[in-house]
Amino acid sequence: MPGRAPRVLSGMRPTGKLHLGHYHGVLRNWLKLQSEYECFFFVADWHALTTHYESPQVIGESVWDMVIDWLAAGVDPASATIFIQSRVPEHAELHVLLSMFTPLSWLERVPSYKDQQEQLRDKDLATYGFLGYPLLQSADILAYRASRVPVGEDQVAHVELTREVARRFNHLYGREPDYEQLAEAAIKKLGKKNGKLYRDLRQAYLEQGDKEALATARAMLDRQKNMTLGDRERLFGYLEGGGRIILPEPEALLTPTAKMPGLDGRKMSKSYDNTISLREEPAVVEHKLRTMPTDPARVRRTDPGTPEKCPVWAFHQVYSNDEVHQWVQKGCRSAGIGCIECKQPVIEAVLAELKPIQERAAEFARDTITVKNIVSDGCQRAREAAGETLAEVRQAMGLGYAL
Ligand code: TRP
Ligand code: SF4
């Protein structure tokens, strides 16, 4: 929106303890964003219920641990608003309102719908909530009129859906009466054939998000010679919905895919049991790293190895400087160093990274009142921000009763 600092919104599901994968993949990015934008970070507890509705205890238990981990990692309540989704019912209200005009086919074609159902076969995900979850995410984003949404690769389709939903909303409810009349008059001036083409292409773009139709329509307008400047601007604007933009389209800020590998070289993930959690005991961290697998070719100390085939090397990429990299490359390939020796700098770096995080986490864990106050303030700020949007949305959808 013009005249406002760009807003960032992001959420995380409370499904367990945070680990180094979350820290390097998401949280460090949040820390950077909170210094540049007005940020809203929330605990996506309703989202967690869409897949964990049979085991809600995990959610309740993870919420506070997760907030403590955020704070310990450096998310700063003085610059970012931290809140819990279910405590801001405006998300649910907007979800219901958006659901009125969102075609079912838009939800069915979101890739995660089928993918996740296949991956999580042990759960029955043929539910209304699961189908609607990307739209709930759209409501999360649009309630704050966020312009940037940091997400991983797997979530880009959800931001894309959000853009289409916002566009359709503005198209249906953001038009100003005389704007439309002027645009319609200008379409008539295009002549019968081009007028019909314009209408068809516009509809294909606004209702199906067909970008080729948009490009074709623009090219057709460019070819029109006898058009006034006013009509030209009108027809270009009208093509994209025109009128008032009540819900601006957000942009995905793609977080580079996590460079943080797990202990076995696969992506760090709880389901692979290859994590180091942020609050893991130092002795356990050390043990996990000491026993993590290395290049299988190095059976004996005297066998040379290839760092690129070793998960420890992936850790060095995250934690070590050039000098150490060279030492590893040379030592590994010539069998000049042993694997335990090679792991030592990684062990030290991980422990050093975790130390201040764990100290802060321990403080917050002791001081639950402070944590609750931070979240309760955040929920209130979030409700105010979302409330402003909802007032406009209700009005636009014919629900602006004064009681
Ligand atoms: N769907 C996201 C996930 O599963 C979490 C999420 C919910 C989110 N709402 C959001 C992320 C809004 C960004 C913006 O990880
Ligand atoms: Fe891996 Fe280092 Fe051992 Fe080489 S020396 S196999 S890089 S742990």
Side-chain angles (χ1 to χ4, degrees):
M1 299 292 277
R4 209 164 39 63
R7 264 190 193 158
V8 163
L9 174 109
S10 200
M12 217 189 265
R13 295 166 174 239
T15 48
K17 288 205 185 86
L18 298 191
H19 50 63
L20 285 175
H22 296 109
Y23 181 67
H24 285 274
V26 183
L27 289 173
R28 291 208 334 173
N29 190 38
W30 284 13
L31 301 185
K32 192 159 93 36
L33 291 169
Q34 72 180 358
S35 64
E36 296 168 15
Y37 298 102
E38 181 185 8
C39 288
F40 289 80
F41 297 133
F42 72 99
V43 180
D45 54 350
W46 279 334
H47 283 272
L49 270 181
T50 62
T51 48
H52 288 65
Y53 59 89
E54 286 181 307
S55 48
Q57 327 66 254
V58 210
I59 299 172
E61 285 162 16
S62 308
V63 168
W64 297 106
D65 276 342
M66 193 164 86
V67 171
I68 289 173
D69 285 343
W70 290 359
L71 294 168
V75 176
D76 178 5
S79 44
T81 299
I82 299 172
F83 67 98
I84 300 175
Q85 183 184 32
S86 66
R87 290 304 154 106
V88 184
E90 282 78 3
H91 291 233
E93 184 182 354
L94 187 55
H95 181 206
V96 144
L97 293 175
L98 300 178
S99 78
M100 302 302 169
F101 59 85
T102 301
L104 261 184
S105 61
W106 289 12
L107 295 172
E108 283 161 347
R109 76 173 186 224
V110 172
S112 59
Y113 180 58
K114 294 235 159 60
D115 290 358
Q116 291 255 57
Q117 276 186 339
E118 272 165 33
Q119 271 175 32
L120 307 174
R121 239 171 242 255
D122 49 323
K123 292 186 181 141
D124 178 5
L125 292 182
T127 58
Y128 180 57
F130 187 69
L131 175 66
Y133 121 77
L135 189 63
L136 177 57
Q137 184 163 353
S138 300
D140 299 335
I141 298 167
L142 296 174
Y144 300 90
R145 298 192 254 210
S147 50
R148 311 281 155 88
V149 183
V151 286
E153 198 81 64
D154 58 324
Q155 299 274 312
V156 173
H158 298 169
V159 180
E160 195 49 47
L161 170 76
T162 306
R163 293 169 63 87
E164 285 172 11
V165 168
R167 200 177 301 143
R168 188 158 159 84
F169 179 94
N170 295 324
H171 168 57
L172 290 169
Y173 310 112
R175 284 168 300 172
E176 276 164 341
D178 51 341
Y179 181 89
E180 185 161 54
Q181 279 163 10
L182 290 168
E184 286 296 330
I187 295 175
K188 289 217 176 71
K189 288 185 220 159
L190 286 174
K192 214 167 177 191
K193 192 166 136 269
N194 280 334
K196 175 164 184 341
L197 184 63
Y198 179 92
R199 279 184 219 281
D200 290 348
L201 293 169
R202 175 172 182 267
Q203 191 173 2
Y205 176 63
L206 291 176
E207 293 186 1
Q208 268 92 47
D210 183 344
K211 294 205 180 80
E212 259 179 60
L214 177 64
T216 312
R218 283 177 174 160
M220 184 271 281
L221 289 178
D222 277 334
R223 284 195 304 272
Q224 306 304 311
K225 297 287 174 247
N226 313 317
M227 212 191 319
T228 65
L229 188 61
D231 277 349
R232 184 177 294 277
E233 286 174 350
R234 232 162 252 136
L235 288 178
F236 271 98
Y238 196 49
L239 204 48
E240 288 179 80
R244 236 155 36 101
I245 296 195
I246 299 172
L247 298 177
E249 292 179 36
E251 235 172 86
L253 270 186
L254 191 61
T255 333
T257 18
K259 36 183 173 13
M260 189 68 220
L263 290 164
D264 57 0
R266 291 185 290 178
K267 178 181 175 215
M268 188 177 278
S269 159
K270 202 176 49 166
S271 49
Y272 294 149
D273 194 20
N274 63 0
T275 65
I276 293 176
S277 79
L278 293 184
R279 286 194 256 167
E280 200 93 65
E281 294 277 348
V284 178
V285 173
E286 197 162 339
H287 177 75
K288 283 187 169 180
L289 289 167
R290 267 192 212 296
T291 53
M292 77 185 271
T294 59
D295 176 1
R298 290 203 77 180
V299 182
R300 280 172 298 263
R301 166 71 178 77
T302 47
D303 296 330
T306 313
E308 287 72 21
K309 293 184 182 158
C310 176
V312 179
W313 172 244
F315 271 69
H316 275 294
Q317 305 272 277
V318 176
Y319 289 101
S320 306
N321 59 23
D322 281 353
E323 198 186 328
V324 177
H325 287 165
Q326 277 167 25
W327 170 77
V328 174
Q329 283 289 347
K330 216 164 137 234
C332 181
R333 288 175 198 283
S334 63
I337 57 170
C339 290
I340 292 290
E341 213 178 333
C342 179
K343 286 171 172 179
Q344 198 53 40
V346 169
I347 294 173
E348 280 161 26
V350 174
L351 290 175
E353 178 175 75
L354 290 179
K355 191 162 182 273
I357 296 178
Q358 297 192 345
E359 283 167 3
R360 283 194 296 264
E363 273 172 44
F364 283 115
R366 271 194 302 274
D367 188 2
T368 49
I369 298 188
T370 297
V371 176
K372 296 222 161 159
N373 282 339
I374 288 170
V375 173
S376 141
D377 282 357
C379 291
Q380 200 175 330
R381 287 216 296 265
R383 285 203 72 172
E384 280 164 24
E388 284 176 22
T389 309
L390 263 293
E392 278 197 50
V393 167
R394 277 183 218 117
Q395 182 78 36
M397 290 183 78
L399 312 174
Y401 326 114
L403 290 182

